[in-house]
Amino acid sequence: VVITNPGNTFFALNFNAPGFSLSSIFKVMIYDLTNSKSFYYSSEIKETSVILSGLMPGTQYSVRVFAGNLAGYETEGSPSASSITTSATPANLTLRSVSYNSIVIFWAAPTNLANLRYIVQYAGSVSGTVQNAVVEGNIAHANLALTSSQPSYVFIVLGGSITMMDSQALQASLTVQMN
């Protein structure tokens, strides 16, 4: 059992299944080690690779896979594997070097995580057109070109992993008056 690509609320699970056949089914027991809870993943799995979603950010999990067929599931299961979901929540958005045509936006990023991706979404109050700037790695700032015809801008910073941006990405927002 191998866990890869942890995100805010998901990770990928891959496992070997000796004697795998089209009639094989699997269930995954997920142990939330941070909050001392355990639960079965919501559905039976018919593949040896799956994205487990609906997890909590910044939480340590351990998983075991149980093989089965029409007669039932094994009782011992696989050896366990563990991982921690990321908590890439951007915080403390601040601005520097504000002018009519550019801005540098900074945020606090976690220092103990690798392979982060931030997407800065911003839109002017008049046009409403959303623009995106992607920042990869543990870089916690973005240099953005602005249009002077916009009296204000809204900035949203989404945090996730480089391999996958979770639809439930954690975010912080800031509104700036340009006058």
Side-chain angles (χ1 to χ4, degrees):
V1 176
V2 177
I3 296 173
T4 59
N5 301 330
N8 290 328
T9 60
F10 63 88
F11 51 72
L13 178 67
N14 299 290
F15 53 93
N16 291 325
F20 177 74
S21 71
L22 294 176
S23 64
S24 296
I25 52 176
F26 307 96
K27 65 180 177 179
V28 177
M29 173 63 81
I30 301 174
Y31 302 91
D32 175 341
L33 301 175
T34 303
N35 300 302
S36 301
K37 297 178 185 176
S38 64
F39 54 94
Y40 284 106
Y41 189 63
S42 60
S43 60
E44 291 179 340
I45 299 168
K46 297 183 183 206
E47 308 279 328
T48 58
S49 179
V50 66
I51 300 289
L52 299 178
S53 59
L55 306 175
M56 296 298 297
T59 303
Q60 183 173 4
Y61 290 96
S62 175
V63 296
R64 291 181 74 191
V65 177
F66 296 84
N69 56 30
L70 295 176
Y73 288 96
E74 65 180 334
T75 57
E76 192 168 316
S78 69
S80 64
S82 65
S83 181
I84 299 175
T85 52
T86 63
S87 181
T89 307
N92 303 324
L93 281 129
T94 58
L95 303 172
R96 293 190 196 152
S97 305
V98 178
S99 72
Y100 285 104
N101 60 3
S102 71
I103 192 169
V104 180
I105 186 167
F106 290 84
W107 58 90
T111 57
N112 60 341
L113 299 174
N115 300 320
L116 297 181
R117 168 181 281 170
Y118 289 96
I119 297 177
V120 181
Q121 296 180 330
Y122 58 107
S125 58
V126 174
S127 73
T129 303
V130 175
Q131 298 178 63
N132 291 309
V134 176
V135 179
E136 293 187 357
N138 287 356
I139 298 169
H141 68 276
N143 226 341
L144 308 172
L146 305 179
T147 304
S148 60
S149 63
Q150 304 294 317
S152 67
Y153 276 85
V154 175
F155 299 90
I156 297 175
V157 180
L158 302 169
S161 76
I162 283 178
T163 54
M164 190 178 298
M165 180 58 71
D166 194 340
S167 62
Q168 301 175 34
L170 301 171
Q171 61 180 288
S173 63
L174 179 68
T175 301
V176 178
Q177 296 295 325
M178 299 303 289
N179 43 356

